[in-house]
Amino acid sequence: MATLVQVENLRKEFGNVRALDGVSFRVDAGEWIAIMGPSGSGKTTLINILGGLDTPTAGQAVVDGTDVARLDEAGLTRFRAEKIGFIFQQFHLVPYLTAVENVMLAQYFHSTTDEKEAQQSLERVGLGDRIEHLPSQLSGGEQQRVAVARALINHPKLILADEPTGNLDEANEEIVLSLLRELHNEGHTILMVTHAPSIGRLADRRIEFAHGHLVQAAVASLKPELA
Amino acid sequence: MFARLLGESFARNPRRKVLTAAALVIGMAVATATLTIALEVGDRLAREFRSLGANLLVTPESDTLPVEIGGVDYRPVDEGAYLNEADLGKLKTIFWRHNILGFTPFLDVPAYVSETGGATTLIGTWYKHEVPVPDGTKFETGASATHPWWKVQGRWFQDGADECVVGAGLAEKYPAAFAIGKTIHLTQNQVSGDGRPLVVTGIISTGDAEDNAVLLPLPVAQEISGHPGKFRQLFVSALTKPADALAERGERAQTDKNIQLTPTEYDRWFCSPYISSIGFQIRTVLPGTDVHAIRRVAETEGRILTRVGTLLWIVTLAALGAAALAIAATSATTVLERRAEIGVMKALGASNALVGGIFLAEQVLLAIAGGAIGFFVGAGLARFLGESVFGTPAAPRPILFPVVLALAAVIAMIGSLVPLRRAAHFRPAVILRGE
Ligand SMILES: Nc1ncnc2c1ncn2[C@@H]1O[C@H](COP(=O)(O)OP(=O)(O)OP(=O)(O)O)[C@@H](O)[C@H]1O
Ligand SMILES: [Mg+2]
């Protein structure tokens, strides 16, 4: 499998806080990775750097052949629009746009809007009947499904999900996780931050963080249920 | 999508939008009003200098200086030379006749008013008078052409009628004697009884010596003074070209034998409407006269108007600056309030230009709305201000409409610049952390 993400000696400092302290690992295309570790260990920081939302202090973070550490502001903007699909814990939908418009927004920033395609993508996450709803008219799980549809709409190389189920109840968590599983089965590459070991076990591989270090970058550990 | 984002953004927080629009309305209203007035000032200046009123004074050569005490001419009546009214038509035969916009003869006569028992000066003149021109046409002229800034309350006397207008100074001093509609009696010397009766038809303010005189039709003054067909001074209003080196040389050449114009220079001088060449041409048709250039009151008035204009420009700038500040304040709040949304858009790959474009477009839309309302409010304000500055309302200027809209847009953009730069520096990572 081709390497999609290659992180080399990545460091990120916020003042004198070392959020990432020399992190190195690789992710192959099509892998589903769970990033785990205690609060404040640098998980979100890593996701942000890989997604071009933040820049590292030192080191390399190559995604699909692009070292995000070397991109300027405009380059990062394009990179986000073209290569990354974000799913956030707080959903981060635009409150005054309907579900379909939220999806179309990502299309718009990427290139041009296509309402049909946006609708199909909502149908795919099971929201075919919620297309014209505002985020405030949707449940948390439904909002997160809109966010998933939005993350997928531009066919990103890499899906970054920072605690995607952190704000959801069990039923909705199950829906979102099964969506991720589907995406994985279709060949998408997913980096997912989670605290829950039960969720972490769904991934192909877990990367454990502690104090900005990698505790265990398991060498292609197989899924437990397959082991 | 852009339109959708803009529309949604526009619909939100209407109170702040109203505030922004209000700042623009006020700023643009003041700007419109002051610009209208400033344009009016400019126009008036131009008109005043164009019709400049009289800019040449023709007097008999070696006329005695007037002995004026308290606005009253104490010269013996017979002293000094007189000019012939009958020659005046010739002014419209000179080379630059079309540049002679008007002329008004003055005959000043010392006299007594029986009603007040005081000495005063009578000024015989024309208000609107038809002068026969040698080519057989008639030329209507008089103080209406040469002294357009004179203001009469009531009405002017009719040419040749037994009527008069009284200077505002006199009228103020003797309100009982010089009220409009009253008849006054004028005599050449204190002793003689009845005097010539004249009906007061108006009170005149000129801002000059005439304010303490009685103005009456020239023929009546000639009759009272015993100099039929004569006058002493002629005010000429001529369209002239500003003096330059040639104008000065031409003028000096007439008195200084050492200065000689070459024939081409002379032709050029003669054929340019300089004050000196027109004066020279006037002297050829009115021999035995001196022609002086005079600078009218308009010059001081002009200076004041220019200052008023400058002041108005400053007020305009201040109003625009205040509007920009108000917009900066409201848009800073807006940007801050919507940083979460800005963060999300940036995370999804929206460029700074696009995010800024949405905010700017919104501000420009507001600016156009505010500017349009401001224009009409300002036009109303200008009417009112014009009334108090000039006594006549300043007419609205449609040409200012696009100017004001553009100004409003520019102001809105300037006001949004700082907040938008802040927004550009928002790090989505920081915003999305929700801090
Ligand atoms: N913008 C920032 N400014 C200063 N310190 C920061 C910033 N972002 C992160 N940090 C610090 O960096 C460290 C790692 O933060 P990070 O958000 O990556 O942790 P995390 O593993 O995602 O934690 P959690 O599980 O609670 O989300 C923390 O100590 C945090 O306080
Ligand atoms: Mg985190």
Side-chain angles (χ1 to χ4, degrees):
Chain A
M1 270 264 174
T3 301
L4 184 74
V5 178
Q6 179 167 5
V7 172
E8 261 343 308
N9 206 14
L10 195 66
R11 293 201 296 125
K12 177 70 182 178
E13 288 164 15
F14 296 104
N16 48 18
V17 176
R18 289 196 172 173
L20 294 176
D21 193 5
V23 172
S24 306
F25 66 91
R26 285 162 182 251
V27 176
D28 284 341
E31 268 194 305
W32 182 2
I33 306 288
I35 297 171
M36 307 191 64
S39 183
S41 55
K43 306 182 296 292
T44 298
T45 306
L46 174 72
I47 291 283
N48 283 348
I49 291 173
L50 287 178
L53 290 177
D54 211 342
T55 45
T57 309
Q60 277 191 344
V62 181
V63 176
D64 194 33
T66 309
D67 185 357
V68 292
R70 291 170 186 279
L71 290 177
D72 60 6
E73 176 95 25
L76 285 173
T77 300
R78 276 329 291 161
F79 173 80
R80 291 196 290 264
E82 280 164 12
K83 304 229 160 137
I84 305 295
F86 280 109
I87 303 169
F88 303 100
Q89 183 177 354
Q90 297 89 351
F91 324 137
H92 286 314
L93 300 179
V94 175
Y96 52 83
L97 296 181
T98 62
V100 71
E101 283 169 344
N102 263 286
V103 177
M104 286 161 71
L105 192 63
Q107 290 179 320
Y108 179 58
F109 295 149
H110 176 268
S111 49
T112 50
T113 56
D114 179 343
E115 186 159 2
K116 247 217 177 75
E117 199 188 343
Q119 278 177 9
Q120 280 164 4
S121 135
L122 281 173
E123 277 157 18
R124 181 179 167 180
V125 298
L127 291 177
D129 54 346
R130 297 282 193 281
I131 281 170
E132 298 295 338
H133 285 56
L134 291 172
S136 57
Q137 298 165 331
L138 296 171
S139 75
E142 288 167 338
Q143 287 187 53
Q144 193 63 304
R145 277 142 76 192
V146 176
V148 171
R150 180 178 70 182
L152 290 175
I153 193 69
N154 294 323
H155 312 289
K157 285 284 178 183
L158 181 62
I159 293 173
L160 297 173
D162 194 348
E163 300 189 46
T165 60
N167 276 7
L168 301 179
D169 62 15
E170 237 168 286
N172 280 305
E173 179 181 291
E174 190 41 54
I175 296 173
V176 170
L177 285 175
S178 64
L179 272 174
L180 288 178
R181 195 180 296 122
E182 257 177 58
L183 297 180
H184 174 53
N185 290 339
E186 283 167 17
H188 281 98
T189 312
I190 305 170
L191 255 71
M192 172 187 74
V193 173
T194 182
H195 282 286
S198 62
I199 297 172
R201 274 196 291 276
L202 297 175
D204 296 334
R205 193 150 63 95
R206 285 169 301 286
I207 296 177
E208 293 262 357
F209 272 77
H211 307 297
H213 293 280
L214 244 54
V215 174
Q216 175 222 354
V219 193
S221 76
L222 292 169
K223 284 185 193 173
E225 55 262 48
L226 297 182
Chain B
M1 200 70 202
F2 189 83
R4 179 83 182 89
L5 288 172
L6 185 59
E8 276 302 335
S9 161
F10 208 77
R12 280 189 316 138
N13 215 324
R15 269 174 59 191
R16 189 167 313 132
K17 301 276 161 16
V18 167
L19 215 65
T20 306
L24 281 161
V25 167
I26 295 171
M28 290 308 129
V30 172
T32 306
T34 49
L35 285 177
T36 306
I37 302 278
L39 285 179
E40 188 79 19
V41 165
D43 267 17
R44 269 175 207 248
L45 275 182
R47 221 180 302 145
E48 216 112 287
F49 279 121
R50 221 180 306 123
S51 71
L52 195 80
N55 49 357
L56 291 171
L57 176 62
V58 182
T59 55
E61 225 166 17
S62 72
D63 193 6
T64 53
L65 286 173
V67 186
E68 255 182 48
I69 300 167
V72 176
D73 193 342
Y74 285 97
R75 273 178 305 182
V77 190
D78 292 330
E79 200 176 304
Y82 290 86
L83 298 172
N84 286 321
E85 188 185 338
D87 291 337
L88 287 177
K90 292 183 192 163
L91 285 176
K92 292 300 277 183
T93 65
I94 65 170
F95 181 82
W96 281 113
R97 58 187 168 276
H98 295 302
N99 282 38
I100 304 287
L101 301 175
F103 46 87
T104 309
F106 276 42
L107 175 64
D108 40 315
V109 184
Y112 290 90
V113 182
S114 320
E115 279 68 18
T116 65
T120 189
T121 303
L122 306 181
I123 299 175
T125 187
W126 298 336
Y127 175 60
K128 271 194 175 137
H129 180 82
E130 289 202 329
V131 183
V133 180
D135 66 8
T137 61
K138 289 213 176 351
F139 178 60
E140 190 189 74
T141 187
S144 57
T146 55
H147 296 78
W149 66 95
W150 283 3
K151 278 203 191 95
V152 167
Q153 188 198 332
R155 64 166 178 85
W156 272 93
F157 52 74
Q158 305 236 292
D159 219 13
D162 280 344
E163 295 175 340
C164 65
V165 296
V166 178
L170 264 186
E172 204 179 320
K173 219 146 97 196
Y174 306 104
F178 294 121
I180 295 174
K182 286 261 165 77
T183 304
I184 56 171
H185 295 80
L186 301 169
T187 54
Q188 265 261 256
N189 47 62
Q190 223 154 355
V191 283
S192 77
D194 299 342
R196 175 78 183 246
L198 293 177
V199 178
V200 179
T201 59
I203 309 292
I204 189 167
S205 11
T206 66
D208 219 326
E210 294 83 7
D211 279 356
N212 286 308
V214 174
L215 275 72
L216 66 172
L218 183 62
V220 180
Q222 288 166 341
E223 201 185 309
I224 292 175
S225 68
H227 289 95
K230 302 284 185 188
F231 67 91
R232 285 179 80 101
Q233 287 180 319
L234 181 72
F235 285 89
V236 180
S237 166
L239 213 55
T240 59
K241 191 177 160 182
D244 52 24
L246 179 63
E248 255 165 55
R249 268 171 61 73
E251 189 171 4
R252 299 240 304 279
Q254 292 169 62
T255 48
D256 191 338
K257 289 275 172 301
N258 295 327
I259 297 177
Q260 285 270 314
L261 296 181
T262 66
T264 44
E265 266 184 330
Y266 180 84
D267 279 351
R268 226 158 43 80
W269 173 76
F270 190 87
C271 297
S272 301
Y274 296 124
I275 283 195
S276 58
S277 53
I278 291 181
F280 172 78
Q281 292 167 17
I282 290 176
R283 281 216 313 281
T284 58
V285 293
L286 300 178
T289 57
D290 276 333
V291 179
H292 321 269
I294 49 169
R295 282 195 194 150
R296 261 225 306 99
V297 213
E299 199 157 331
T300 32
E301 200 179 321
R303 225 175 295 134
I304 291 167
L305 284 181
T306 310
R307 278 194 202 144
V308 169
T310 312
L311 189 73
L312 290 173
W313 283 108
I314 293 171
V315 171
T316 307
L317 281 182
L320 294 182
L325 282 181
I327 288 160
T330 54
S331 71
T333 323
T334 304
V335 163
L336 210 64
E337 201 179 70
R338 294 171 64 177
R339 59 206 292 274
E341 189 185 311
I342 295 172
V344 174
M345 290 191 187
K346 282 187 161 191
L348 294 179
S351 62
N352 280 330
L354 188 61
V355 173
I358 295 169
F359 278 83
L360 265 190
E362 180 181 329
Q363 297 283 29
V364 168
L365 275 182
L366 269 178
I368 286 172
I373 299 172
F375 173 80
F376 291 105
V377 174
L381 204 62
R383 285 187 72 81
F384 168 75
L385 276 179
E387 191 95 51
S388 57
V389 176
F390 306 114
T392 52
R397 312 258 170 170
I399 192 162
L400 277 182
F401 190 64
V403 173
V404 163
L405 290 194
L407 257 182
V410 169
I411 290 298
M413 289 201 235
I414 291 175
S416 308
L417 221 57
V418 174
L420 282 182
R421 279 194 45 172
R422 275 246 318 261
H425 287 126
F426 281 168
R427 316 257 351 152
V430 175
I431 293 173
L432 294 178
R433 285 176 74 87
E435 278 157 14

